[in-house]
Amino acid sequence: MSTAEILSVTDATGVVPLPRAQRSAVLTQLRQACLDGGLGDRSRPAELPSGHAALDAFLPGGGWPLGAVTELLGDTCGIGELSLLLPALVRLARSGRHVACIAPPHLPYAPALLQAGLPLERLLWIQPEGADAPRLALWAAEQLLRCPGVGATLLWPEQIDARQIRRLQLAAETGGGCALLYRPTQAAQHPSPAALRLQLHASPDGLRIEIKKARGRHVHAVVVHPAASA
Amino acid sequence: MLWLCIRLPALERAALTRLAVWSQQWSSWVSLGACGNDDRSNEEQSANPEADCWLWLEIGASLKLFGGVSALRSNITCALEALGHEARTAIAPTPQAARLLTRTREPRCTSDAAALRARLSPLRLELLDLPAVALTALRSSGFRHIGQLLDLPSDSVAQRFGPEAALYLQRLCGEAIEPMPAVPFPRHYHARVEFGHEVLQATALLFPLQRLLWELQGWLRAADRALQHCTLVFEHHGRADTGLTLRCSLPSRDAAQWLALARERFHSFTLPAPVRALHLRADEFTAPAISQADFFAQEAQHSQLLHQVLDRLQARLGTHCMQRLHTTADYRPEHAWRSIATTDASPQSVTEASSNDATPRPCWLLREPRPLITAPRLIAGPERIESGWWDRGDVARDYYLAQGADGARQWVYQDLRNGIWYLHGLWA
């Protein structure tokens, strides 16, 4: 039985006492859930399968955390950091939710995204300008994350601190979408309230994904995601 | 028929007409009384009645919808207060009686035609809308209360105090019908607020703007219409007016939403000069985006929320900073895509069939091709692209997949005309 199921039972006990026989069973399950660290993820509604079985196996809940911040750490552009997300983004967009790209380092190339199956009318490309651009990008991300019609918000922040990430985290909890932050490798030295932190490296076989932090689970795994054929 | 009379302190004719249209949200039959035709003094009210304005709403047909007389009345009074109007209301079966009752201390509702006479009879004669000459004549004849006058036969009143007075008394009691011309719904909304001082900060305009937007919201409700854009005009001293347009991607009549848009716009907007007066204009009324309660209500609500967020972003960031992408049929990679403002995009796909669907493309395209100093380490290719001779954007390139020193997979090309290598994309 999953944690969510157990909780629905305990919620119900608020008004209706459980029969004695069931009570011990629920307690046992709760104890197990506490040991698994699953109770901390109560607010999490569901996960979004990443589309890569090898990766899903290591992610708590089996996918990108919804209603939470995921950090993707890496210093190099063009190692497959976007293709990694594409299957999930396509799934979101096809289900009618929007995907927002905020302040990406390069132009998101429409023909490639279309080839991946992403309905382009569900993609928003937001590129704030001017001296205030970094702050506006964060503001836009927060606004979009709060909106339940936006399934995923990808953000390339110039500079972001833990407090700002927490704000995004709260916004994501409200909207229930994925917040995906691309940050430099160096950011790994500082703690972050993100639910999931992945370090991305280029490797001869493809993209090497190292799970640095996963909420509710102690995993340290490295998954190699084969490069897209070109 | 049941008339609700709203008595307002002095208002400009334009403002009164706007208010008349605004009050059509409660009644389809709204009539307005000209200002200043009330030329009597009245010691019972502190306000100067000579300058009072009147609005009549036929509410007999609206009672059921708005939950009865008292609910409707408090609804209207609250809305008037929100707009900053101090109004007195009274309800009676005839317009004249309703108007008369607004002058009493306790403007109780009299909905019954039979009870109307009893309600009016004990009231003082001075409350009547009769010329001062007639009132003096009545007083010198020993009349003190309206009831005494109503007891007189109509032809006798006509003989002694003029036919107008007789007709007025008949209309007061509902024995004669009074023509009440309905205020038509205008094609444009235009309101102007003048400030006593010059406003220096755009954000200080939000408060007066809010009232105008509430009024506009009432208009739109009255006509069951919505707006997609409206214009703010700032009047300055000694220089041309300036302005800005607020846009909404879905037709909306929600004042709060428009105000939020204005707030975002004002954030990044500095007034070119101090503002003396503010105008709000709306010209194109459209059908509202109706959110019906159905099985997919949640999805519709989400999409409405999204549109509100997008409008807010657009107002703050500007149209050019928020785009949707689509592909175009062109072989040249830099021309194979376009971006359009989110407001212009129809909800349907705007994607043209791309002419080179089969060949894979990288997720990142560089804004400008970057010349490479050293020849790249090629992995796959080439793909020759020669195109664009018709619009002087002629290209002749061989594209390759290459491996960068940092492990990045690059999309590079060699310009066939000069042999220089360029980085054009990244396989992200």
Side-chain angles (χ1 to χ4, degrees):
Chain A
M1 187 185 261
S2 76
T3 317
E5 280 171 86
I6 296 168
L7 284 171
S8 69
V9 175
T10 50
D11 283 344
T13 55
V15 273
V16 188
L18 278 179
R20 186 173 290 275
Q22 277 186 31
R23 213 176 296 167
S24 67
V26 166
L27 280 174
T28 320
Q29 285 161 354
L30 270 176
R31 198 170 297 131
Q32 190 57 47
C34 292
L35 288 174
D36 291 348
L39 276 180
D41 302 336
R42 202 177 156 165
S43 61
R44 194 184 295 169
E47 309 304 336
L48 177 68
S50 72
H52 314 290
L55 181 60
D56 282 349
F58 288 105
L59 296 179
W64 302 118
L66 283 169
V69 174
T70 299
E71 280 183 29
L72 300 154
L73 309 168
D75 293 325
T76 318
C77 269
I79 55 174
E81 71 275 18
L82 206 56
S83 328
L84 174 68
L85 299 180
L86 272 174
L89 300 183
V90 167
R91 178 192 280 256
L92 274 176
R94 289 205 175 145
S95 73
R97 300 181 83 186
H98 277 69
V99 172
C101 270
I102 304 175
H106 303 289
L107 302 171
Y109 194 43
L113 301 174
L114 192 67
Q115 279 171 2
L118 190 76
L120 291 178
E121 68 274 14
R122 300 241 183 271
L123 181 74
L124 299 165
W125 172 39
I126 294 160
Q127 192 78 55
E129 286 173 6
D132 218 11
R135 208 178 51 79
L136 283 176
L138 282 174
W139 173 81
E142 195 184 333
Q143 298 292 316
L144 287 164
L145 280 170
R146 273 181 203 289
C147 181
V150 180
T153 305
L154 284 67
L155 174 66
W156 284 261
E158 215 161 271
Q159 186 104 45
I160 190 164
D161 58 32
R163 191 182 55 83
Q164 288 161 327
I165 296 175
R166 192 163 289 119
R167 279 192 74 112
L168 295 182
Q169 169 69 37
L170 288 175
E173 278 173 25
T174 313
C178 271
L180 297 147
L181 292 186
Y182 283 93
R183 302 185 66 192
T185 307
Q186 192 200 342
Q189 294 167 4
H190 308 285
S192 153
L196 181 66
R197 289 185 113 179
L198 304 179
Q199 173 72 55
L200 308 181
H201 303 280
S203 83
D205 312 319
L207 179 65
R208 214 170 115 244
I209 308 156
E210 191 182 333
I211 300 176
K212 289 270 188 192
K213 174 192 173 184
R215 195 194 278 169
R217 230 192 233 200
H218 300 283
V219 275
H220 189 89
V222 175
V223 183
V224 175
H225 174 234
S229 60
Chain B
M1 263 193 289
L2 195 59
W3 292 90
L4 180 134
C5 182
I6 302 172
R7 176 179 161 190
L8 296 150
L11 271 184
E12 287 169 32
R13 182 82 196 176
L16 184 65
T17 315
R18 281 207 316 271
L19 211 56
V21 177
W22 169 84
S23 51
Q24 284 177 14
Q25 49 187 316
W26 293 287
S27 164
S28 53
W29 188 356
V30 176
S31 193
L32 57 89
C35 317
N37 63 350
D38 194 352
D39 55 358
R40 298 156 322 97
S41 65
N42 190 336
E43 65 270 32
E44 205 166 337
Q45 295 300 323
S46 55
N48 180 11
E50 279 146 68
D52 277 358
C53 303
W54 313 85
L55 283 180
W56 285 276
L57 280 66
E58 202 291 303
I59 56 166
S62 324
L63 289 180
K64 203 165 181 184
L65 180 61
F66 292 100
V69 174
S70 52
L72 176 59
R73 189 175 179 171
S74 63
N75 200 335
I76 294 175
T77 321
C78 290
L80 279 167
E81 263 170 33
L83 288 189
H85 294 294
E86 252 184 73
R88 279 178 80 86
T89 57
I91 297 170
T94 67
Q96 286 300 349
R99 168 165 158 175
L100 189 149
L101 288 176
T102 58
R103 296 206 196 94
T104 58
R105 269 191 209 289
E106 201 189 343
R108 269 181 302 151
C109 164
T110 313
S111 51
D112 191 3
L116 178 64
R117 218 181 159 95
R119 171 86 174 93
L120 294 175
S121 291
L123 296 175
R124 289 180 312 105
L125 208 60
E126 283 74 18
L127 295 175
L128 291 173
D129 288 289
L130 286 176
V133 192
L135 283 178
T136 322
L138 278 168
R139 227 177 282 125
S140 57
S141 314
F143 290 99
R144 290 293 173 267
H145 299 289
I146 297 174
Q148 293 169 317
L149 190 59
L150 292 180
D151 288 340
L152 281 186
S154 183
D155 46 354
S156 155
V157 173
Q159 224 166 26
R160 292 172 63 181
F161 309 108
E164 291 83 12
L167 182 63
Y168 169 72
L169 288 178
Q170 283 173 349
R171 285 178 173 173
L172 184 67
C173 298
E175 286 156 14
I177 300 293
E178 181 166 16
M180 299 295 285
V183 177
F185 192 84
R187 301 171 100 193
H188 313 286
Y189 175 87
H190 176 214
R192 175 176 183 268
V193 207
E194 200 173 306
F195 306 120
H197 54 280
E198 295 207 314
V199 177
L200 304 168
Q201 287 251 317
T203 42
L205 296 170
L206 284 171
F207 185 72
L209 179 64
Q210 184 174 29
R211 285 194 169 166
L212 294 183
L213 287 170
W214 276 336
E215 193 179 73
L216 182 57
Q217 173 179 289
W219 272 50
L220 297 168
R221 271 194 198 148
D224 191 24
R225 305 259 81 187
L227 272 184
Q228 265 191 305
H229 49 87
C230 57
T231 315
L232 297 178
V233 178
F234 310 118
E235 234 176 77
H236 308 289
H237 194 78
R239 58 171 287 173
D241 297 352
T242 55
L244 57 85
T245 305
L246 299 178
R247 274 174 219 288
C248 207
S249 51
L250 278 185
S252 163
R253 66 167 75 133
D254 186 3
Q257 196 184 331
W258 285 109
L259 192 71
L261 284 182
R263 190 172 285 129
E264 297 306 343
R265 278 300 287 275
F266 285 173
H267 237 274
S268 54
F269 178 80
T270 35
L271 289 171
V275 176
R276 217 165 44 135
L278 170 72
H279 295 250
L280 175 63
R281 270 176 209 282
D283 297 318
E284 279 172 49
F285 300 126
T286 55
I290 305 159
S291 53
Q292 284 185 354
D294 60 9
F295 187 70
F296 302 105
Q298 203 189 358
E299 199 172 309
Q301 204 184 351
H302 283 179
S303 115
Q304 212 165 359
L305 270 177
L306 177 72
H307 277 102
Q308 287 177 16
V309 169
L310 294 187
D311 289 338
R312 210 158 53 222
L313 291 180
Q314 196 128 43
R316 173 83 75 99
L317 306 174
T319 325
H320 57 288
C321 290
M322 206 166 89
Q323 313 254 300
R324 277 180 216 272
L325 302 171
H326 68 115
T327 56
T328 50
D330 198 309
Y331 287 103
R332 292 165 293 180
E334 61 270 44
H335 293 291
W337 72 287
R338 288 261 190 299
S339 65
I340 37 170
T342 46
T343 40
D344 302 340
S346 64
Q348 266 61 50
S349 172
V350 283
T351 300
E352 278 179 43
S354 192
S355 52
N356 43 13
D357 271 345
T359 41
R361 290 283 177 260
C363 284
W364 292 137
L365 190 74
L366 269 58
R367 284 181 175 81
E368 290 291 328
R370 192 184 299 158
L372 292 172
I373 303 156
T374 53
R377 195 155 68 83
L378 305 179
I379 296 175
E383 178 197 348
R384 178 154 298 182
I385 294 179
E386 281 191 276
S387 185
W389 50 267
W390 57 86
D391 61 3
R392 296 188 186 181
D394 200 1
V395 301
R397 302 165 178 171
D398 272 345
Y399 276 88
Y400 296 88
L401 166 67
Q403 180 86 47
D406 52 2
R409 284 147 51 84
Q410 304 170 329
W411 199 41
V412 298
Y413 71 82
Q414 185 173 32
D415 195 321
L416 296 179
R417 286 170 302 187
N418 56 17
I420 299 176
W421 287 93
Y422 291 90
L423 174 65
H424 203 187
L426 292 162
W427 299 86

